[in-house]
Amino acid sequence: MWRGRSPTSLPRTSRRERVAPRERAAEGRSPVRPLLDAVGYQLTSLRMSKPVGTVKRAMWGKGLFPHQFSWLIDNPIRRLLITPETLAGRLPLTESSRILEVGPGSGYFSRAIAPRVPRGRLDLVDIQREMLTKAKRKLDALGVRNVGYVNADAGGGLPFPNACFDLVVLVSVLGEIEQRAACLASLFRVLRPGGVL
């Protein structure tokens, strides 16, 4: 979306800007800032030397990964890091395990965990109802029925009784939760003694 500007009206960069982006980043000026300004982003303190999470939060707000970009979570390239099957194989699961997955996104790992607990249960908790809908659609297509879907903020307390889960799974989620200490306290509350986080 160019917001009234054509690609030919983008700001031109000088030779210095094209040749020395690292030096500009070290000075606190991002080499991508003119382009982002041209397409309508209003970023206040984007610097190339900051972690990627800072860039994400500057563009989308604090914390949440937008459900509109859930296709990135399902990208096949992600399998190069760890496959859902590999993660599920590393978890201490039994057929009757009770598992809580916080921030499942679109169900990337859930689709490998749920079938491994046919007599157990997998509960998914996400603050974004749209992500839970996408995960439900994916798990229903696999024929998995032992899954519960709860729309809740993990940092605000979990709506489960004490010591009811054998295993709690979080993959790249804790950094998105603002109330981390409250979240961890709540997770330990619902985890049975000897359970795995």
Side-chain angles (χ1 to χ4, degrees):
M1 180 163 78
W2 294 100
R3 297 196 185 201
R5 295 183 185 192
S6 69
T8 56
S9 69
L10 290 176
R12 298 208 182 262
T13 55
S14 68
R15 184 177 186 289
R16 179 187 179 291
E17 290 172 327
R18 288 190 306 269
V19 173
R22 287 190 180 155
E23 290 80 7
R24 287 184 56 204
E27 295 169 5
R29 293 178 18 223
S30 167
V32 297
R33 180 64 187 250
L35 178 61
L36 293 173
D37 287 342
V39 296
Y41 286 110
Q42 300 298 317
L43 304 178
T44 54
S45 63
L46 178 65
R47 295 180 185 196
M48 295 305 286
S49 59
K50 289 189 177 183
V52 173
T54 303
V55 174
K56 180 182 80 173
R57 284 183 184 84
M59 291 173 69
W60 291 306
K62 199 169 190 175
L64 301 177
F65 185 84
H67 68 88
Q68 295 91 341
F69 293 97
S70 65
W71 58 271
L72 288 171
I73 296 171
D74 295 327
N75 191 324
I77 293 173
R78 187 175 184 193
R79 296 179 68 82
L80 295 173
L81 299 174
I82 187 168
T83 66
E85 295 78 18
T86 302
L87 177 73
R90 292 179 181 173
L91 298 174
L93 301 174
T94 65
E95 286 191 355
S96 59
S97 292
R98 182 108 194 265
I99 304 158
L100 172 65
E101 185 177 359
V102 178
S106 62
Y108 182 75
F109 291 107
S110 310
R111 66 176 187 225
I113 295 172
R116 294 180 185 232
V117 289
R119 294 191 327 259
R121 182 171 172 87
L122 171 65
D123 283 292
L124 305 179
V125 173
D126 204 304
I127 194 168
Q128 297 181 77
R129 190 177 314 268
E130 297 87 357
M131 286 293 205
L132 289 172
T133 302
K134 291 175 185 189
K136 182 173 181 4
R137 193 176 310 126
K138 192 178 290 185
L139 292 170
D140 285 349
L142 291 174
V144 177
R145 302 285 182 247
N146 60 338
V147 181
Y149 305 91
V150 179
N151 181 231
D153 181 4
L158 295 169
F160 298 106
N162 294 345
C164 64
F165 291 104
D166 302 309
L167 177 70
V168 176
V169 178
L170 294 98
V171 179
S172 301
V173 173
L174 200 55
E176 295 185 6
I177 298 173
E178 289 184 33
Q179 311 294 332
R180 289 184 192 103
C183 174
L184 288 172
S186 188
L187 292 176
F188 280 113
R189 180 185 62 77
V190 300
L191 195 60
R192 72 167 174 75
V196 177
L197 173 61

